[in-house]
Amino acid sequence: VALFALDGTEVAAASCSVETSSPEDGWMERHPDQDWADTAETIRKVIDGAGVPSDSIAGVGCTGFGNGLYPLDSAGRPVRQAITSG
């Protein structure tokens, strides 16, 4: 997670370890709820570390998942862990 000023200067950045499982040889999966919890915690670390009010953030972008899949049921809940590319 990174926070940038309007001129493109990096203001603050943080990262965290991502837990994966391999239920079968060649598979790699991540749990969507844990992914979100880790993402939210890391966003908080960046905002707190930058010392900026969160309502001053002009935009949010997301990247980095790669070729993967989060299968959901009709209520929008994960039906299994996320399937990620290796």
Side-chain angles (χ1 to χ4, degrees):
V1 174
L3 179 68
F4 295 92
L6 291 175
D7 67 2
T9 305
E10 185 178 290
V11 176
S15 63
C16 69
S17 296
V18 176
E19 192 173 315
T20 61
S21 64
S22 297
E24 291 191 32
D25 191 34
W27 290 24
M28 185 170 60
E29 298 182 347
R30 299 187 336 212
H31 194 281
D33 292 332
Q34 187 60 52
D35 273 357
W36 176 244
D38 292 342
T39 299
E41 179 182 342
T42 308
I43 290 169
R44 276 191 290 279
K45 286 180 184 177
V46 168
I47 292 171
D48 292 347
V52 299
S54 59
D55 62 358
S56 70
I57 295 173
V60 176
C62 179
T63 186
F65 184 69
N67 296 324
L69 175 69
Y70 280 102
L72 305 175
D73 64 16
S74 62
R77 298 293 312 149
V79 295
R80 64 173 296 135
Q81 296 191 107
I83 300 166
T84 64
S85 59

